[in-house]
Amino acid sequence: TGTLVNLTHTHWFQDVTADYFSAFTKTGENAWGLNLSLGKVPGIEKRDEIPTTEPLAEIDAHDVVLSFYYARSFKNKYSLGISAKWIYEKIDVYSASGFGFDLGGIISPFAGSGNPITENFRFGAAILDLGSKIKFQEDKFPLPTQYKAGVGYSLEKKEWQSNFTLNMDVVKPRDDDTKLHLGTEYELYQILNLRLGYQFGYDEKDLSFGMGIRYKKYAIEYAFVPYKSDLGDVHSVSLKAEF
């Protein structure tokens, strides 16, 4: 039971930025909350159909996603969640909006079994970005639907006050090849978190790194994703607070 607030700023290459605000509260077996994400792509050259040496102007692209979500757990073994989202995009003077939703669930089939090896396994699946197409002028674009399935495992060492977590996800975007994501996290004394990830199936990225520091009910987290082909790197900083 409690409320968690999260603020995240992500700086992509070429000054592309994304900012997120989320808050959720949990009471008993129910949890609900909201998420607001703001994205910006600056410095887009505006040109007409006739080629010119200089652009007519520089414009920005903006997107806004406002999501509301609800989740419920059952007997500490099953969890189901759904989110509904409103999507708004604007490029120069043109804008479009639409609606979408996500569905997901997690099952911990061995929870409470007393077996220290198997009881911390969990399996999950989700469908992201289902919904209406977004229309810019006369063209319609589908949402970037993704299908995910994964498995996670946690190993706790009470004598060291530490916890090790390993996760694996299979991701199938609607219009792309299947990807594989691996991630590990090591938590020490409930203060320091070290993270390492690897993503298979991408041309420009693979390794990622992260760490977090917690003090009482507050935490600051950092993630770093290097890209290839001189694209640059991605940096993300999050602030979290529990109430």
Side-chain angles (χ1 to χ4, degrees):
T1 300
T3 299
L4 176 66
V5 176
N6 177 58
L7 297 171
T8 301
H9 174 75
T10 301
H11 193 104
W12 293 73
F13 37 80
Q14 299 181 341
D15 293 328
V16 177
T17 59
D19 294 285
Y20 306 89
F21 167 80
S22 64
F24 82 89
T25 184
K26 183 179 180 181
T27 303
E29 296 182 337
N30 300 287
W32 55 88
L34 61 86
N35 179 82
L36 175 65
S37 65
L38 307 171
K40 180 181 179 181
V41 182
I44 301 174
E45 294 185 351
K46 181 179 181 180
R47 300 177 183 271
D48 56 21
E49 296 180 357
I50 301 175
T52 57
T53 57
E54 296 294 332
L56 300 176
E58 283 194 352
I59 59 176
D60 297 338
H62 299 267
D63 64 77
V64 178
V65 180
L66 179 61
S67 305
F68 298 90
Y69 50 89
Y70 171 77
R72 180 176 174 83
S73 61
F74 303 88
K75 299 180 180 180
N76 295 322
K77 285 191 174 184
Y78 313 95
S79 298
L80 296 175
I82 183 172
S83 73
K85 62 183 73 175
W86 172 72
I87 304 163
Y88 174 82
E89 296 185 353
K90 183 177 181 181
I91 302 177
D92 196 15
V93 297
Y94 306 104
S95 63
S97 61
F99 293 93
F101 60 94
D102 307 326
L103 295 170
I106 297 175
I107 179 173
S108 303
F110 310 113
S113 64
N115 188 322
I117 298 177
T118 61
E119 68 175 355
N120 292 322
F121 271 104
R122 59 194 176 278
F123 304 87
I127 304 176
L128 307 179
D129 290 319
L130 291 169
S132 61
K133 293 183 177 180
I134 295 179
K135 182 178 180 181
F136 271 104
Q137 293 182 290
E138 301 301 323
D139 297 321
K140 291 184 177 181
F141 302 92
L143 296 180
T145 303
Q146 296 186 62
Y147 307 90
K148 293 185 175 184
V151 58
Y153 180 74
S154 297
L155 179 63
E156 182 180 5
K157 290 292 184 179
K158 294 183 179 180
E159 62 271 24
W160 298 343
Q161 298 185 51
S162 65
N163 187 65
F164 176 78
T165 302
L166 175 65
N167 293 304
M168 180 182 70
D169 291 333
V170 177
V171 182
K172 179 61 178 77
R174 187 213 303 266
D175 299 320
D176 203 351
D177 296 330
T178 300
K179 319 292 185 183
L180 178 64
H181 297 176
L182 296 177
T184 63
E185 178 184 69
Y186 180 70
E187 180 185 56
L188 183 62
Y189 296 115
Q190 296 184 341
I191 296 176
L192 177 65
N193 295 79
L194 301 176
R195 303 180 180 101
L196 177 66
Y198 199 96
Q199 300 179 73
F200 296 88
Y202 297 88
D203 294 329
E204 302 295 338
K205 61 179 180 178
D206 42 41
L207 273 173
S208 60
F209 311 88
M211 66 176 297
I213 298 176
R214 176 183 296 275
Y215 176 73
K216 294 183 178 180
K217 295 185 178 181
Y218 304 94
I220 181 170
E221 298 180 346
Y222 170 74
F224 171 68
V225 183
Y227 273 67
K228 305 174 184 178
S229 303
D230 296 323
L231 283 175
D233 303 320
V234 178
H235 304 269
S236 180
V237 177
S238 298
L239 301 175
K240 295 181 178 180
E242 298 180 11
F243 301 95

